[in-house]
Amino acid sequence: MRYLPLTDADRGEMLAKVGASSIDDLFVDVPEHARLKGPIEGLPMHASEMAVERHMRALSGKNLAAGDAPFFLGAGAYRHHVPASVDHIIQRGEFLTAYTPYQPEIAQGTLQMLFEFQTQVARLYGCAVANASMYDGSTACWEAIAMAGRIARGKRKKVVLSGALHPHYAEVVRTMAKFTEDEIADAQPSLQGSPDLDGLVSRIDEDTSCVVVQYPDILGRLSDLEKISEAAHAKGALVIAVNLEPVALGAVKSPGEMGADIVVGEGQSIGVGLQFGGPYLGLFAVRDPKHVRMMPGRLCGETQDAEGKRGFVLTLSTREQHIRREKATSNICTNSGLCALAFNVHMSLLGEKGLRQLAAENHRLACLAADKLAAVPGVTVLNDSFFNEFTLMIGQDARKVVRRLADHGILAGVSLGRLFPANDALSEGLLVTLTETTSEEDIDALCAALKEVLA
Amino acid sequence: MNAPNKSGWKPSAPLAGDTESPTFTGNRALMLEEPLIFEIGHTETTGVDLPEPQADAPNRLGGLERKAEIGLPGLSEPECVRHYTRLSRQNYAIDLGLFPLGSCTMKHNPRLNEKVARMPGFADVHPLQPVDTVRGALEVVSELANWLITLTGMHSVAMSPKAGAHGELCGILCIRAALEARGDARKVVLVPESAHGTNPATAAFAGYEVEDIPATAEGRVDLEKLKARLGPDVAAVMITNPNTCGLFERDMKEISDAVHAAGGFVYCDGANFNAIVGKVRPGDLGVDAMHINLHKTFSTPHGGGGPGSGPVVLSQALSPYAPLPFTARGEDGTVHLVEEENAREFGHSDAFGRMTAFHGQMGMFTRALTYILSHGADGLAQVAEDAVLNANYILRSLEDLLHAPFGESGPCMHEALFGDQGFAEGLSTLDLAKALIDEGYHPMTMYFPLVVHGAMLIEPTETESKAGLDQFIGALRSVAERAKAGDESLKAAPYFAPRRRLDETQAARKPILAWEGELAPGGAAARSEIGGQ
């Protein structure tokens, strides 16, 4: 039991100090019938470091890692190169094993990092204020909707969702709305080269608290958010922009710049890694500083210590549930601190220049791949616009094609059928994503395999 | 930021014993002042090698090209490593010493967990890869689920909640879905005073009215008052067990039976499961839903505030309503991923929905499973025993000096609770806590639970040695004696931390939540302007 420092002699001495004759005396408040008499049956006993590592390595080996195959998946989780120093820094024990920074005098490392992170996110999103992160993009999206409801003081009950919002995000929203009695005006994505902005705008009315639009959307298309903002603001509704690929914002206008009121997203792309879906990093920002007190989540603020030195603290915590109990602004009780650190470090390494270069390289490869894939017989590229992700129409059920391409050793993309199982019209769509980790050889391999499978 | 070098002032050698003399840089030997990245980096620096964009590169951005500068500073790799390494040194962490945070459970974080979580088959797989390319990852989820179900004696587990509070919400939503399925629109959730403060927030967020149930004089749920309040309008009772007074709720089974008889459900906040893991199965006490904070009981690192992970174990009655996605083991032993597409096929068409985009905190699952396998069924029981022993050792080593309000209520579980009774006028728990920082410790949980005046909730965990506990007890005795004797110097503690007491009122009154300055045009020049603080 290498993690337990007490020796039997220690235990004996301590029991004597406590005045107990055996350890069972300390569990007297547990009713006799519920007390387990020995180790729970059906579970293995403790194992050595070597044995556990071997077992876990065997399980790891049963998976096809993204780095071991030409890889084209995205749809809310992106594979980018993470510089080695990012993982080195997040493994420093002073960050990795620290607690939530409630004692600011001895948590300035975490707090200064969060302040830097908030500033990075706010600038990236074109907003005034960002929080210290949320669980992930999908929960941030719901929290933004709940916040819009608070701003409307419950007087507007309708939430307009773009049809091209990630279906898992829409499902999280629908799930939570069942319990808050918000009315969700939902739609399905239109299979057109450009998003149906007129259709979206026509669903906004005087009862709408907010309109939620993904940018770029689930089919990879870019929307002019300015048009949506104008229309929404004219009806008194807020615009929530959802960004799942922050790298895109190195190439395209920020949602805040185009009038989005709340910008949320998934920060996983920067520093965090795929990790089979979590932990990820929810980003959350507001354009208007007056909305700060309505925000969910943790906030880090600048202040001074007793000697006048600059320092940082968690602040405005009276919004939070551990203080405000049933009147709290949200259910969020933590953030994704370590993922925020990974983002902060990776973004500091990139800087303005690196982020723009990274975005340009992603877009270059995507344009190249789109052209090459469009030349495969039976394949059409749907998108008029895209950043690093676009939709192919392939004339066959894409779920089956993806499966057969996996047999060719290629992880080809996300079939729209997997994302929208109930929508047959989308079953022939395949969402393909390119990042700087994809080589031109990988693109050629995908084209060749797709040609063979579709023939 | 007044840099002392701006005036051309030159330091002389500090006098012996003089700790206040300023230095040119603001540094104090190995304790270094570190500016913000915005003050040292600039927009033309980058720490990664990427191709320069081509002028004639294709562009299909739909006319939405970004023109304005974002305002993100870049650092070279050495500047970056140095910046964050310096910041890290201003943090207290479990790797540096005891973290006696009651209810927050800061235990040793084994590095094998980190090594395993980084294996490419776990770290570098996409949540939407074809299912048969991620069988091993699904087996991790399934194996961990099996441990959680077995250790708690429950029927199933929802793995997707992203943190403890998210797990609470998941459990309450399962309860609400089960009640709605039987057409029973109950409105009220009862929350005892001895439960966690997050519980009422969760119940309210799920659309319930919250009512408090008082604690008895000995720090447990008042069973009679609870029974008296039960009725056809009560959807659930949310109990923390062991509770926030550090005590086991002796009447848990009787409470559960009464709640069930009244048609309601029992939610148990499992934040303190580490006190009883391997010793008691909550399922045997009639619990219907309980979240498990993997970081508390199963040692996934806290990371300065997350990520957490809050799987929720469920009774048979609630299992059909668990949210998607989850894993199910088929008859041939294969683990399947159950999502919207195949929920019906797996007999799970009553799921109340989805709480998060993908499958939960895989990175935490691998760490928790690694920890669990390292301990085994025998080791986990030993974890609970040592945690409880360590806490009782602290309780009995301090109760002659510090007021222990429930010291007569029997043994405590994994945490010991004290109050501020007997402190000199004008000195508070906060002063004692800040003085503890100067002794090299992170303070304990303060002012919680609310039922105790000036509460101090101390949880040593099982990973502290007896010698380590003795040193901590000595330090705490020393500051407690000063608090009782009226030592005014406590009020200005800490003296030796990277920062003295921070003005939290100013931070809340005039919030500064982002750096507002303009980025400097050049890195080195900007740095010399900044100097120390």
Side-chain angles (χ1 to χ4, degrees), chain B residues 180-449:
Chain B
E180 281 175 3
R182 71 179 194 216
D184 197 350
R186 293 169 177 240
K187 289 269 178 255
V188 177
V189 168
L190 305 180
V191 182
E193 280 179 341
S194 56
H196 273 129
T198 54
N199 294 170
T202 297
F205 210 71
Y208 285 108
E209 291 163 27
V210 178
E211 286 182 29
D212 291 345
I213 296 291
T216 61
E218 63 160 23
R220 293 188 171 89
V221 180
D222 190 322
L223 178 65
E224 295 315 314
K225 292 214 169 89
L226 177 79
K227 278 185 175 170
R229 179 58 191 85
L230 288 173
D233 61 336
V234 175
V237 176
M238 293 183 87
I239 292 183
T240 303
N241 194 19
N243 71 23
T244 58
C245 299
L247 302 174
F248 192 84
E249 293 288 358
R250 270 181 212 145
D251 303 324
M252 192 72 198
K253 185 73 173 70
E254 211 176 338
I255 293 170
S256 300
D257 289 346
V259 174
H260 291 154
F265 289 95
V266 177
Y267 187 91
C268 181
D269 185 317
N272 297 335
F273 186 53
N274 62 313
I276 55 169
V277 60
K279 302 292 288 177
V280 188
R281 301 189 308 171
D284 294 340
L285 300 169
V287 168
D288 290 294
M290 180 178 99
H291 75 269
I292 299 169
N293 307 69
L294 294 184
H295 50 285
K296 296 185 183 186
T297 302
F298 300 119
S299 84
T300 69
H302 212 294
S309 180
V312 181
V313 289
L314 299 166
S315 63
Q316 191 158 7
L318 294 183
S319 293
Y321 308 100
L324 298 169
F326 58 89
T327 55
R329 197 176 281 275
E331 281 176 16
D332 62 348
T334 311
V335 180
H336 300 271
L337 181 65
V338 182
E339 297 193 272
E340 286 81 354
E341 189 172 12
N342 57 356
R344 198 168 294 277
E345 189 186 321
F346 284 88
H348 199 81
S349 47
D350 294 330
F352 73 72
R354 181 182 271 270
M355 293 198 72
T356 178
F358 300 119
H359 324 312
Q361 308 288 67
M362 181 66 187
M364 299 297 119
F365 300 162
T366 48
R367 287 171 175 90
L369 182 60
T370 300
Y371 173 87
I372 283 175
L373 293 171
S374 300
H375 277 290
D378 51 337
L380 291 174
Q382 188 72 53
V383 160
E385 289 179 5
D386 286 0
V388 170
L389 179 60
N390 279 356
N392 278 281
Y393 186 67
I394 285 184
L395 177 67
R396 300 307 171 198
S397 299
L398 289 165
E399 64 184 349
D400 62 315
L401 184 63
L402 282 174
H403 173 60
F406 306 120
E408 303 300 312
S409 303
C412 63
M413 296 306 285
H414 59 301
E415 55 197 3
L417 179 61
F418 301 98
D420 65 357
Q421 212 176 79
F423 282 21
E425 178 98 14
L427 286 174
S428 65
T429 293
L430 182 76
D431 300 318
L432 177 142
K434 297 295 183 191
L436 209 49
I437 290 175
D438 282 334
E439 300 289 338
Y441 291 103
H442 193 283
M444 66 290 279
T445 297
M446 294 181 290
Y447 302 110
F448 183 79

Side-chain angles (χ1 to χ4, degrees), chain A residues 347-352, chain B residues 40-43 45-46 72-76 79:
Chain A
M347 192 61 99
S348 297
L349 282 167
L350 287 168
E352 179 101 15
Chain B
I40 50 177
H42 59 120
T43 52
T45 301
T46 178
L72 294 171
L75 305 175
S76 66
E79 287 174 307

Side-chain angles (χ1 to χ4, degrees), chain A residues 9 16 52 109 158 189 209 224 241 245 258 276 353 360 403 416 427 445:
Chain A
V52 174
K158 186 168 146 189
S209 68
D224 185 349
E245 172 51 296
M258 293 187 279
F276 198 47
K353 183 181 181 186
R403 176 80 286 292
L416 295 187
S427 65

